[in-house]
Amino acid sequence: MPQPKDYHEQRLRAAIYRRTHAEPGSVNDRIPPQFLSCSDDGKRCTVRYALKPEMRNPMGWLHGGVTGAMLDMGMGLLVYYNAGFALCPTGTMTVNYLRPGRIGGALVVQSEITFQGRKLFHTSARAWMEDDPDRLVATATATYIRVFPAGSNPAAPPDARPNAGQK
């Protein structure tokens, strides 16, 4: 049976809310993404981040570490959703900084899952200033690793594993 048109949107919004409110004061809580859109299959998602003065580097531009965190969070939230709300730590991530982000504006991050296996997710992301979508600020690729609880059998179907479906 096909999913309703807004099925992935509603669930991705829930995933974003869940991760940004899970730990008050955490990076996810301090740099909360705002959902903008997603693909019909839930494999691509676009979020927005407000760029605040405390996110600037000594030159007054968006700090590269904050840019990297926003890219990682955008891709990680998409993986979290597609992994059935399982936490999947970042295994590797490469960021390409192309131009500075402007404080006071908003950074838009579009993430996509390019490969999904049993344990690994490969992703890519593109980031641009909301008011200048034709000029990329940064791009990234990353691999996320699904970690299975001790004593579980990752080869078993998801519904046969202990704690399957727990959120």
Side-chain angles (χ1 to χ4, degrees):
M1 174 166 62
Q3 304 294 348
K5 180 154 178 61
D6 63 349
Y7 174 81
H8 293 293
E9 177 179 340
Q10 289 175 1
R11 292 179 51 87
L12 274 161
R13 284 180 185 274
I16 290 168
Y17 181 85
R18 218 182 212 171
R19 292 308 322 142
T20 56
H21 292 84
E23 301 168 38
S26 69
V27 171
N28 289 6
D29 180 48
R30 290 179 167 274
I31 308 175
Q34 176 189 7
F35 178 90
L36 292 179
S37 66
C38 67
S39 61
D40 289 343
D41 63 359
K43 302 291 184 189
R44 189 176 322 120
C45 183
T46 306
V47 295
R48 173 188 186 276
Y49 297 92
L51 304 183
K52 304 171 192 167
E54 60 268 21
M55 297 174 176
R56 70 185 182 277
N57 66 18
M59 295 175 63
W61 298 104
L62 177 61
H63 191 286
V66 176
T67 304
M70 290 173 175
L71 288 160
D72 187 27
M73 196 181 317
M75 292 183 287
L77 287 165
L78 187 59
V79 168
Y80 172 68
Y81 169 67
N82 279 276
F85 299 97
L87 294 177
C88 300
T90 310
T92 64
M93 187 169 99
T94 301
V95 179
N96 303 296
Y97 298 98
L98 307 173
R99 63 182 42 86
R102 290 184 321 279
I103 298 301
L107 189 74
V108 175
V109 174
Q110 183 178 70
S111 305
E112 180 176 10
I113 293 177
T114 56
F115 171 82
Q116 180 175 340
R118 186 172 53 86
K119 291 179 74 172
L120 297 177
F121 291 80
H122 294 278
T123 60
S124 65
R126 305 174 324 128
W128 60 87
M129 294 301 298
E130 185 174 46
D131 63 355
D132 196 0
D134 296 327
R135 294 172 43 104
L136 293 177
V137 169
T139 62
T141 57
T143 300
Y144 295 84
I145 305 161
R146 181 182 296 171
V147 179
F148 294 96
S152 70
N153 177 4
D159 57 347
R161 285 187 225 132
N163 304 320
Q166 287 188 0
K167 298 175 174 75

